């Protein structure tokens, strides 16, 4: 049924939920008409628009008409895909070449990110200073050197760099140029050794950075990296430390000579 000019007339049948909603809506309007004009046998009356709208709203709010509505998750996914589609359409219209040009730009960005990841390595989850240089098994400098040479002979450059850096620090500890401290890091050892061996400060820092990169930064060392650290190890063995007292005496003599 339908309401035409205030008169209820028959409406065509609709399938499924739509038909149920239409029949329910017409029934609600019919009820409102009856309530406003008496029984159905009396002449039809014209009801105001607001009561008819309220009757339709109450009818359509019934649960039976919303059983097949999409869930909250489905509505959120539909809204997301609509937003993504509009975003891609906007980007494609602003990119030379349309969608193909946008695809080229995306592939280029992915290639740049992959190159940066390969060059810089995996991001560190904790500061380098939190990681120690030695493990729980103490070994001599000679043992670390031998282990480094063995790894280098097999082309295992990461392990070779690590062992040769440990040999440097252990050798300085054996010469009493560094205090024996199990929890010391490569950066700390380089900084402390640079105070007694100032001519090698920069190379010590570079070696410590190389050790950190291959141990905690995810980078791969090469033959040249190992050769640089091995050469530093040999040079340090021949180096004489600059003691604090001698440095102070040299500075005092310099100031005295300048005064004279």
């Amino acid at each position: 049924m339908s309401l035409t000019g205030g008169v209820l007339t028959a409406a065509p049948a609709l399938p499924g939920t739509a038909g149920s909603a239409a029949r329910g809506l017409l029934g609600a309007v019919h009820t409102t008409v009856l309530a406003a004009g008496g029984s159905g046998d009396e002449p039809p009356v014209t009801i105001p628009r607001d009561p008819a709208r309220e009757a339709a709203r109450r009818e359509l709010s019934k649960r039976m008409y919303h059983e097949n509505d999409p869930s909250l998750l489905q509505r959120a996914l539909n809204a997301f895909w609509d937003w993504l589609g509009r975003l891609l359409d906007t980007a494609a219209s602003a990119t030379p070449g349309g969608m193909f040009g946008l695809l080229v730009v995306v592939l280029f960005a992915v290639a740049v990110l992959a190159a940066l990841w390969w060059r810089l390595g995996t991001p560190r989850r904790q500061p380098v200073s939190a990681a120690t240089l030695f493990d729980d098994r103490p070994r001599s400098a000679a043992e670390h050197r031998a282990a480094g040479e063995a790894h280098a002979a097999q082309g295992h450059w990461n392990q070779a760099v690590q062992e040769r850096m440990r040999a440097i620090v252990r050798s300085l500890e054996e010469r009493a140029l560094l205090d024996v401290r199990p929890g010391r890091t490569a950066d700390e050892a380089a900084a402390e050794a640079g105070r007694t061996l100032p001519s090698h400060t920069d190379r010590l820092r570079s070696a410590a950075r190389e050790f950190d990169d291959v141990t905690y930064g995810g980078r791969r060392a090469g033959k040249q990296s190992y050769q640089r650290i091995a050469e530093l190890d040999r040079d340090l063995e021949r180096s004489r430390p600059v003691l604090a007292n001698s440095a102070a005496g040299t500075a005092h003599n310099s100031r005295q000579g300048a005064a004279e």
Side-chain angles (χ1 to χ4, degrees):
M1 300 180 71
S2 63
L3 182 61
T4 306
V7 180
L8 292 172
T9 60
L14 296 175
T17 304
S20 299
R23 290 192 295 272
L25 176 60
L26 293 175
V29 175
H30 186 202
T31 302
T32 304
V33 172
L34 293 179
S39 65
D41 297 333
E42 296 179 1
V45 296
T46 301
I47 62 172
R49 180 179 300 175
D50 291 340
R53 183 186 297 111
E54 182 63 22
R57 186 190 64 78
R58 287 196 304 270
E59 177 65 26
L60 294 177
S61 65
K62 293 181 180 180
R63 184 176 181 181
M64 59 180 294
Y65 302 124
H66 303 280
E67 292 178 351
N68 297 324
D69 289 351
S71 63
L72 179 62
L73 177 60
Q74 186 62 43
R75 291 198 297 271
L77 288 175
N78 291 339
F80 170 76
W81 290 119
D82 291 342
W83 170 81
L84 184 60
R86 291 193 300 271
L87 181 64
L88 291 176
D89 291 340
T90 302
S93 61
T95 304
M99 189 60 70
F100 178 76
L102 178 62
L103 179 61
V104 172
V105 171
V106 171
L107 292 177
F108 176 76
V110 171
V112 170
L113 290 177
L116 289 174
W117 186 280
W118 177 82
R119 180 67 181 85
L120 300 178
T122 305
R124 299 172 182 172
R125 295 180 179 274
Q126 59 182 359
V128 173
S129 59
T132 58
L133 181 64
F134 295 101
D135 52 23
D136 296 333
R137 185 167 60 91
R139 287 181 290 175
S140 66
E143 290 175 320
H144 284 296
R145 288 191 187 99
E149 290 293 341
H151 285 302
Q154 299 177 14
H156 301 161
W157 301 114
N158 279 22
Q159 294 88 336
V161 165
Q162 291 169 336
E163 290 298 333
R164 202 62 187 238
M165 183 62 192
R166 291 172 180 139
I168 289 175
V169 177
R170 185 67 76 198
S171 175
L172 295 175
E173 289 177 348
E174 292 173 353
R175 296 169 59 189
L177 300 180
L178 288 179
D179 296 332
V180 177
R181 182 148 44 94
R184 179 185 283 116
T185 66
D187 291 333
E188 293 171 346
E192 295 172 14
R195 288 193 284 270
T196 56
L197 299 166
S199 60
H200 300 288
T201 300
D202 293 338
R203 297 172 67 193
L204 283 166
R205 289 176 180 172
S206 298
R209 186 164 51 250
E210 194 102 41
F211 176 88
D212 291 337
D213 287 342
V214 302
T215 306
Y216 314 112
R219 297 188 185 180
R220 297 184 62 84
K223 181 178 181 180
Q224 292 181 348
S225 300
Y226 175 73
Q227 289 177 342
R228 284 194 298 268
I229 295 181
E231 183 179 357
L232 174 61
D233 185 19
R234 290 188 292 267
D235 291 343
L236 290 175
E237 285 190 285
R238 297 189 296 265
S239 298
R240 298 180 58 183
V242 177
L243 302 180
N245 292 335
S246 61
T250 302
H252 175 72
N253 294 335
S254 300
R255 288 195 298 270
Q256 185 177 3
E260 291 178 353

